[in-house]
Amino acid sequence: DVQIHSGHATVKGGLIHAENSTVHIDDATLEGGTSAAGEGLSMQGGVLTMARVRVTDCQSDEQGGGLYLEDVEASVSSMIVHACGANFGGGMWADGGGVLVSASRFMQNSAETTGGGIESFGEAVALFSTDVCGNSPDQVAGTFVDLGENVIQTECPCPTDFNGDGEVGVTDLLVVVSSWGPCEIGCDGDANEDAVVDANDLLMVISAWGACL
């Protein structure tokens, strides 16, 4: 897999920025970008296809913590957007074009104003078989097209899936071990949200082992 991490841009695209282009990204991790908009990926105009891409820990001052898409025709599948933040659209901000998202997950992203998971203007985003959960202050802001089989709810159905990859495994176990001890409520590893990572959280991980249901 391709890994792109720890980038910074003053205006847009902390890790990737494109304008009026055709962009295709498969099997990649975008992590730790910062910018004014679209820290993970920022795109204005053009065509975008993405599959099996993970966008995580990206922070924006304005729109689109994970992705900023303006007038982009996009097809996205099997994507995870996790722990990203912005003023508007913590996980993704989209306006114009047409963004089809399928079999993807937007988890534990946050926005200072609206669109913790996704902010969509004018039905710019269509969702199919996608989980949007555990984001704050809301899951989806604006209007979007619901193509069915989506899970949009305040709490994610798999609280021990700390890295948001759709299954509980060794990586989540290591999160518990590395975070062991007192912490803020809901910190990484604190599955039962009692402000401490301990044996109770470890047992929750073990009991939930495997694919999230």
Side-chain angles (χ1 to χ4, degrees):
D1 293 359
V2 175
Q3 297 190 11
I4 304 173
H5 58 85
S6 303
H8 172 74
T10 303
V11 182
K12 293 178 181 176
L15 297 176
I16 298 174
H17 177 70
E19 297 184 13
N20 301 315
S21 303
T22 297
V23 176
H24 182 81
I25 305 173
D26 282 353
D27 302 304
T29 297
L30 310 180
E31 181 177 3
T34 60
S35 70
E39 311 81 3
L41 181 145
S42 168
M43 191 165 174
Q44 294 173 280
V47 178
L48 170 68
T49 56
M50 297 175 69
R52 300 174 304 280
V53 174
R54 176 179 172 84
V55 184
T56 185
D57 295 323
C58 292
Q59 301 295 320
S60 170
D61 296 332
E62 293 298 332
Q63 305 105 322
L67 298 96
Y68 173 98
L69 303 175
E70 183 178 353
D71 296 325
V72 175
E73 294 290 337
S75 178
V76 177
S77 63
S78 301
M79 178 176 68
I80 296 171
V81 182
H82 174 254
C84 292
N87 196 5
F88 302 93
M92 179 173 71
W93 183 95
D95 187 8
V99 181
L100 172 61
V101 180
S102 62
S104 296
R105 308 185 84 198
F106 291 78
M107 301 174 56
Q108 299 166 354
N109 304 287
S110 62
E112 292 293 330
T113 306
T114 58
I118 298 170
E119 184 153 32
S120 169
F121 288 91
E123 297 186 343
V125 175
L127 300 177
F128 172 70
S129 190
T130 289
D131 295 347
V132 186
C133 62
N135 304 286
S136 64
D138 50 5
Q139 306 311 309
V140 182
T143 56
F144 71 100
V145 179
D146 187 345
L147 298 177
E149 301 182 24
N150 298 302
V151 175
I152 300 175
Q153 57 191 37
T154 302
E155 295 186 3
C156 291
C158 199
T160 51
D161 178 20
F162 301 118
N163 69 341
D165 66 356
E167 60 182 56
V168 178
V170 173
T171 301
D172 305 295
L173 184 64
L174 292 175
V175 169
V176 171
V177 173
S178 65
S179 304
W180 201 267
C183 69
E184 295 183 4
I185 291 176
C187 70
D188 280 350
D190 183 19
N192 61 356
E193 298 189 343
D194 64 353
V196 61
V197 178
D198 56 15
N200 292 321
D201 303 294
L202 185 62
L203 291 173
M204 287 181 67
V205 169
I206 293 170
S207 66
W209 202 267
C212 292
L213 302 177

Short mmCIF file of all heavy atoms in Angstrom, two decimals, residues 111-160:
data_model
loop_
_atom_site.label_atom_id
_atom_site.label_comp_id
_atom_site.label_asym_id
_atom_site.label_seq_id
_atom_site.Cartn_x
_atom_site.Cartn_y
_atom_site.Cartn_z
N ALA A 111 -16.56 18.28 13.65
CA ALA A 111 -16.62 19.61 13.06
C ALA A 111 -16.92 20.63 14.15
O ALA A 111 -17.69 20.35 15.07
CB ALA A 111 -17.69 19.67 11.98
N GLU A 112 -16.32 21.78 14.05
CA GLU A 112 -16.60 22.84 15.02
C GLU A 112 -18.01 23.40 14.83
O GLU A 112 -18.66 23.81 15.79
CB GLU A 112 -15.58 23.97 14.88
CG GLU A 112 -14.17 23.60 15.30
CD GLU A 112 -14.05 23.34 16.78
OE1 GLU A 112 -14.81 23.95 17.56
OE2 GLU A 112 -13.21 22.51 17.17
N THR A 113 -18.50 23.39 13.59
CA THR A 113 -19.80 23.99 13.30
C THR A 113 -20.81 22.93 12.87
O THR A 113 -21.70 22.58 13.64
CB THR A 113 -19.67 25.08 12.22
OG1 THR A 113 -18.65 26.02 12.63
CG2 THR A 113 -20.99 25.85 12.06
N THR A 114 -20.73 22.42 11.65
CA THR A 114 -21.67 21.41 11.17
C THR A 114 -20.96 20.36 10.32
O THR A 114 -19.88 20.60 9.80
CB THR A 114 -22.79 22.03 10.31
OG1 THR A 114 -22.20 22.72 9.19
CG2 THR A 114 -23.64 23.00 11.10
N GLY A 115 -21.63 19.21 10.19
CA GLY A 115 -21.11 18.15 9.32
C GLY A 115 -19.96 17.39 9.92
O GLY A 115 -18.90 17.29 9.31
N GLY A 116 -20.16 16.85 11.12
CA GLY A 116 -19.08 16.09 11.74
C GLY A 116 -18.55 14.98 10.84
O GLY A 116 -17.35 14.80 10.68
N GLY A 117 -19.48 14.22 10.24
CA GLY A 117 -19.07 13.17 9.31
C GLY A 117 -18.93 13.68 7.90
O GLY A 117 -17.89 13.53 7.25
N ILE A 118 -20.04 14.29 7.39
CA ILE A 118 -20.10 14.76 6.00
C ILE A 118 -20.90 16.03 5.93
O ILE A 118 -21.94 16.16 6.60
CB ILE A 118 -20.77 13.70 5.09
CG1 ILE A 118 -19.96 12.39 5.07
CG2 ILE A 118 -20.94 14.23 3.67
CD1 ILE A 118 -20.70 11.24 4.39
N GLU A 119 -20.46 16.99 5.13
CA GLU A 119 -21.29 18.13 4.79
C GLU A 119 -21.47 18.14 3.27
O GLU A 119 -20.48 18.15 2.52
CB GLU A 119 -20.69 19.45 5.26
CG GLU A 119 -21.62 20.62 4.97
CD GLU A 119 -21.44 21.80 5.91
OE1 GLU A 119 -20.30 22.01 6.37
OE2 GLU A 119 -22.42 22.51 6.16
N SER A 120 -22.72 18.08 2.82
CA SER A 120 -23.05 17.96 1.40
C SER A 120 -24.00 19.07 1.00
O SER A 120 -25.06 19.25 1.61
CB SER A 120 -23.70 16.60 1.13
OG SER A 120 -24.25 16.53 -0.16
N PHE A 121 -23.64 19.80 -0.04
CA PHE A 121 -24.48 20.88 -0.53
C PHE A 121 -25.18 20.45 -1.82
O PHE A 121 -24.56 19.88 -2.71
CB PHE A 121 -23.65 22.14 -0.80
CG PHE A 121 -23.18 22.84 0.45
CD1 PHE A 121 -21.97 22.50 1.02
CD2 PHE A 121 -23.97 23.79 1.06
CE1 PHE A 121 -21.53 23.13 2.17
CE2 PHE A 121 -23.55 24.42 2.22
CZ PHE A 121 -22.33 24.09 2.78
N GLY A 122 -26.48 20.73 -1.90
CA GLY A 122 -27.24 20.48 -3.13
C GLY A 122 -27.21 19.04 -3.59
O GLY A 122 -27.09 18.77 -4.78
N GLU A 123 -27.28 18.10 -2.64
CA GLU A 123 -27.25 16.68 -2.96
C GLU A 123 -25.98 16.31 -3.74
O GLU A 123 -26.00 15.49 -4.65
CB GLU A 123 -28.50 16.24 -3.71
CG GLU A 123 -29.78 16.41 -2.90
CD GLU A 123 -31.00 15.83 -3.59
OE1 GLU A 123 -30.94 15.58 -4.80
OE2 GLU A 123 -32.01 15.61 -2.90
N ALA A 124 -24.88 16.92 -3.35
CA ALA A 124 -23.61 16.62 -4.02
C ALA A 124 -23.16 15.19 -3.73
O ALA A 124 -22.43 14.59 -4.52
CB ALA A 124 -22.52 17.59 -3.56
N VAL A 125 -23.60 14.62 -2.59
CA VAL A 125 -23.14 13.31 -2.16
C VAL A 125 -24.28 12.30 -2.23
O VAL A 125 -25.40 12.58 -1.80
CB VAL A 125 -22.59 13.36 -0.72
CG1 VAL A 125 -22.21 11.97 -0.22
CG2 VAL A 125 -21.38 14.30 -0.65
N ALA A 126 -23.98 11.12 -2.77
CA ALA A 126 -24.90 9.98 -2.74
C ALA A 126 -24.23 8.85 -1.97
O ALA A 126 -23.06 8.53 -2.23
CB ALA A 126 -25.26 9.52 -4.15
N LEU A 127 -24.96 8.26 -1.01
CA LEU A 127 -24.39 7.21 -0.16
C LEU A 127 -25.09 5.88 -0.41
O LEU A 127 -26.32 5.82 -0.47
CB LEU A 127 -24.55 7.58 1.32
CG LEU A 127 -23.89 8.88 1.80
CD1 LEU A 127 -24.22 9.11 3.27
CD2 LEU A 127 -22.38 8.85 1.57
N PHE A 128 -24.28 4.82 -0.51
CA PHE A 128 -24.82 3.46 -0.61
C PHE A 128 -24.01 2.53 0.27
O PHE A 128 -22.77 2.51 0.19
CB PHE A 128 -24.78 2.97 -2.06
CG PHE A 128 -25.16 1.51 -2.19
CD1 PHE A 128 -26.46 1.09 -1.97
CD2 PHE A 128 -24.20 0.56 -2.51
CE1 PHE A 128 -26.81 -0.24 -2.07
CE2 PHE A 128 -24.54 -0.78 -2.62
CZ PHE A 128 -25.86 -1.18 -2.38
N SER A 129 -24.70 1.78 1.13
CA SER A 129 -24.06 0.77 1.97
C SER A 129 -22.85 1.35 2.72
O SER A 129 -21.78 0.75 2.77
CB SER A 129 -23.62 -0.43 1.12
OG SER A 129 -23.21 -1.50 1.94
N THR A 130 -23.06 2.52 3.30
CA THR A 130 -21.99 3.25 3.97
C THR A 130 -22.36 3.54 5.42
O THR A 130 -23.51 3.88 5.72
CB THR A 130 -21.69 4.56 3.21
OG1 THR A 130 -21.04 4.21 1.97
CG2 THR A 130 -20.79 5.48 4.00
N ASP A 131 -21.41 3.41 6.33
CA ASP A 131 -21.60 3.72 7.74
C ASP A 131 -21.11 5.13 8.02
O ASP A 131 -19.96 5.46 7.70
CB ASP A 131 -20.82 2.75 8.63
CG ASP A 131 -21.33 1.32 8.53
OD1 ASP A 131 -22.43 1.11 7.98
OD2 ASP A 131 -20.63 0.41 9.02
N VAL A 132 -21.98 5.93 8.61
CA VAL A 132 -21.59 7.26 9.08
C VAL A 132 -21.99 7.32 10.55
O VAL A 132 -23.17 7.42 10.88
CB VAL A 132 -22.28 8.39 8.28
CG1 VAL A 132 -21.74 9.75 8.69
CG2 VAL A 132 -22.11 8.18 6.79
N CYS A 133 -21.01 7.20 11.44
CA CYS A 133 -21.36 7.03 12.85
C CYS A 133 -20.27 7.57 13.77
O CYS A 133 -19.11 7.70 13.38
CB CYS A 133 -21.61 5.55 13.16
SG CYS A 133 -20.16 4.50 12.89
N GLY A 134 -20.70 7.92 14.98
CA GLY A 134 -19.76 8.36 16.00
C GLY A 134 -19.08 9.68 15.72
O GLY A 134 -18.07 10.01 16.33
N ASN A 135 -19.64 10.45 14.79
CA ASN A 135 -19.08 11.77 14.46
C ASN A 135 -19.77 12.84 15.32
O ASN A 135 -20.86 12.64 15.82
CB ASN A 135 -19.30 12.07 12.98
CG ASN A 135 -18.73 10.99 12.08
OD1 ASN A 135 -17.53 10.89 11.91
ND2 ASN A 135 -19.61 10.16 11.51
N SER A 136 -19.16 13.99 15.45
CA SER A 136 -19.76 15.07 16.23
C SER A 136 -19.53 16.43 15.54
O SER A 136 -18.52 16.60 14.86
CB SER A 136 -19.16 15.12 17.64
OG SER A 136 -17.77 15.42 17.59
N PRO A 137 -20.48 17.37 15.67
CA PRO A 137 -21.70 17.30 16.46
C PRO A 137 -22.85 16.56 15.77
O PRO A 137 -23.88 16.32 16.37
CB PRO A 137 -22.07 18.78 16.64
CG PRO A 137 -21.60 19.41 15.36
CD PRO A 137 -20.32 18.70 15.02
N ASP A 138 -22.69 16.19 14.48
CA ASP A 138 -23.74 15.50 13.75
C ASP A 138 -23.10 14.55 12.75
O ASP A 138 -21.89 14.53 12.59
CB ASP A 138 -24.68 16.49 13.04
CG ASP A 138 -23.92 17.54 12.22
OD1 ASP A 138 -22.68 17.44 12.13
OD2 ASP A 138 -24.55 18.46 11.69
N GLN A 139 -23.92 13.74 12.10
CA GLN A 139 -23.38 12.75 11.17
C GLN A 139 -23.29 13.31 9.75
O GLN A 139 -22.24 13.23 9.12
CB GLN A 139 -24.25 11.48 11.19
CG GLN A 139 -24.45 10.89 12.59
CD GLN A 139 -23.15 10.73 13.35
OE1 GLN A 139 -22.18 10.16 12.86
NE2 GLN A 139 -23.12 11.24 14.58
N VAL A 140 -24.41 13.84 9.25
CA VAL A 140 -24.45 14.42 7.91
C VAL A 140 -25.17 15.75 7.96
O VAL A 140 -26.28 15.83 8.51
CB VAL A 140 -25.16 13.50 6.90
CG1 VAL A 140 -25.14 14.12 5.51
CG2 VAL A 140 -24.52 12.12 6.88
N ALA A 141 -24.57 16.80 7.42
CA ALA A 141 -25.22 18.10 7.32
C ALA A 141 -25.51 18.40 5.86
O ALA A 141 -24.76 17.99 4.96
CB ALA A 141 -24.32 19.20 7.90
N GLY A 142 -26.61 19.07 5.60
CA GLY A 142 -27.00 19.37 4.23
C GLY A 142 -27.83 18.25 3.65
O GLY A 142 -28.33 17.37 4.36
N THR A 143 -27.98 18.24 2.34
CA THR A 143 -28.82 17.24 1.67
C THR A 143 -27.95 16.26 0.89
O THR A 143 -26.94 16.63 0.30
CB THR A 143 -29.81 17.92 0.71
OG1 THR A 143 -29.08 18.73 -0.22
CG2 THR A 143 -30.80 18.77 1.47
N PHE A 144 -28.35 14.98 0.95
CA PHE A 144 -27.61 13.95 0.22
C PHE A 144 -28.62 12.94 -0.33
O PHE A 144 -29.79 12.91 0.06
CB PHE A 144 -26.60 13.25 1.13
CG PHE A 144 -27.20 12.36 2.17
CD1 PHE A 144 -27.26 10.99 1.99
CD2 PHE A 144 -27.72 12.89 3.34
CE1 PHE A 144 -27.82 10.16 2.95
CE2 PHE A 144 -28.29 12.08 4.32
CZ PHE A 144 -28.33 10.71 4.12
N VAL A 145 -28.17 12.11 -1.24
CA VAL A 145 -29.01 11.08 -1.84
C VAL A 145 -28.77 9.77 -1.11
O VAL A 145 -27.62 9.29 -1.04
CB VAL A 145 -28.70 10.91 -3.34
CG1 VAL A 145 -29.57 9.81 -3.94
CG2 VAL A 145 -28.92 12.23 -4.07
N ASP A 146 -29.82 9.21 -0.53
CA ASP A 146 -29.73 7.95 0.20
C ASP A 146 -30.09 6.80 -0.75
O ASP A 146 -31.25 6.61 -1.10
CB ASP A 146 -30.69 7.97 1.39
CG ASP A 146 -30.52 6.75 2.30
OD1 ASP A 146 -29.88 5.78 1.87
OD2 ASP A 146 -31.03 6.79 3.43
N LEU A 147 -29.09 6.03 -1.17
CA LEU A 147 -29.31 4.92 -2.10
C LEU A 147 -29.58 3.60 -1.39
O LEU A 147 -29.76 2.57 -2.04
CB LEU A 147 -28.10 4.77 -3.02
CG LEU A 147 -27.79 5.98 -3.91
CD1 LEU A 147 -26.53 5.74 -4.74
CD2 LEU A 147 -28.97 6.31 -4.82
N GLY A 148 -29.64 3.64 -0.07
CA GLY A 148 -30.02 2.46 0.69
C GLY A 148 -28.86 1.75 1.36
O GLY A 148 -27.69 1.94 1.02
N GLU A 149 -29.21 0.93 2.38
CA GLU A 149 -28.28 0.09 3.11
C GLU A 149 -27.23 0.89 3.87
O GLU A 149 -26.13 0.39 4.15
CB GLU A 149 -27.60 -0.93 2.19
CG GLU A 149 -28.57 -1.86 1.48
CD GLU A 149 -27.88 -2.90 0.61
OE1 GLU A 149 -26.69 -3.21 0.87
OE2 GLU A 149 -28.52 -3.40 -0.33
N ASN A 150 -27.56 2.13 4.21
CA ASN A 150 -26.64 2.97 4.98
C ASN A 150 -26.94 2.85 6.47
O ASN A 150 -28.09 2.62 6.86
CB ASN A 150 -26.75 4.43 4.55
CG ASN A 150 -26.38 4.65 3.10
OD1 ASN A 150 -25.27 4.32 2.70
ND2 ASN A 150 -27.30 5.18 2.32
N VAL A 151 -25.91 3.00 7.29
CA VAL A 151 -26.08 3.08 8.74
C VAL A 151 -25.60 4.47 9.16
O VAL A 151 -24.42 4.78 9.09
CB VAL A 151 -25.25 2.00 9.46
CG1 VAL A 151 -25.35 2.18 10.97
CG2 VAL A 151 -25.73 0.61 9.06
N ILE A 152 -26.55 5.31 9.57
CA ILE A 152 -26.23 6.67 9.98
C ILE A 152 -26.77 6.84 11.39
O ILE A 152 -27.98 6.93 11.61
CB ILE A 152 -26.85 7.71 9.02
CG1 ILE A 152 -26.30 7.48 7.61
CG2 ILE A 152 -26.53 9.13 9.49
CD1 ILE A 152 -26.93 8.37 6.55
N GLN A 153 -25.86 6.87 12.37
CA GLN A 153 -26.30 6.92 13.76
C GLN A 153 -25.21 7.52 14.64
O GLN A 153 -24.04 7.58 14.27
CB GLN A 153 -26.67 5.52 14.25
CG GLN A 153 -25.57 4.50 14.12
CD GLN A 153 -26.05 3.08 14.38
OE1 GLN A 153 -27.16 2.71 14.01
NE2 GLN A 153 -25.20 2.27 15.02
N THR A 154 -25.63 7.93 15.84
CA THR A 154 -24.74 8.65 16.75
C THR A 154 -23.60 7.78 17.23
O THR A 154 -22.45 8.23 17.33
CB THR A 154 -25.53 9.18 17.95
OG1 THR A 154 -26.58 10.02 17.48
CG2 THR A 154 -24.64 9.97 18.89
N GLU A 155 -23.90 6.52 17.55
CA GLU A 155 -22.87 5.62 18.04
C GLU A 155 -22.53 4.57 16.99
O GLU A 155 -23.42 4.05 16.31
CB GLU A 155 -23.33 4.94 19.33
CG GLU A 155 -23.51 5.90 20.50
CD GLU A 155 -23.83 5.18 21.78
OE1 GLU A 155 -23.84 3.93 21.79
OE2 GLU A 155 -24.06 5.86 22.80
N CYS A 156 -21.25 4.25 16.87
CA CYS A 156 -20.83 3.21 15.94
C CYS A 156 -21.15 1.84 16.54
O CYS A 156 -21.05 1.65 17.74
CB CYS A 156 -19.35 3.32 15.64
SG CYS A 156 -18.93 4.79 14.68
N PRO A 157 -21.54 0.89 15.70
CA PRO A 157 -21.93 -0.42 16.20
C PRO A 157 -20.79 -1.27 16.72
O PRO A 157 -21.00 -2.34 17.25
CB PRO A 157 -22.58 -1.08 14.98
CG PRO A 157 -21.95 -0.40 13.81
CD PRO A 157 -21.69 1.00 14.24
N CYS A 158 -19.57 -0.79 16.62
CA CYS A 158 -18.40 -1.60 16.99
C CYS A 158 -17.43 -0.72 17.78
O CYS A 158 -16.43 -0.24 17.23
CB CYS A 158 -17.75 -2.15 15.73
SG CYS A 158 -16.67 -3.56 15.97
N PRO A 159 -17.69 -0.47 19.08
CA PRO A 159 -16.88 0.50 19.84
C PRO A 159 -15.44 0.09 20.05
O PRO A 159 -14.61 0.92 20.42
CB PRO A 159 -17.63 0.59 21.18
CG PRO A 159 -18.38 -0.70 21.29
CD PRO A 159 -18.76 -1.06 19.89
N THR A 160 -15.11 -1.18 19.83
CA THR A 160 -13.72 -1.61 20.02
C THR A 160 -12.91 -1.59 18.72
O THR A 160 -11.74 -1.98 18.71
CB THR A 160 -13.68 -3.03 20.63
OG1 THR A 160 -14.52 -3.90 19.86
CG2 THR A 160 -14.17 -3.01 22.07
#
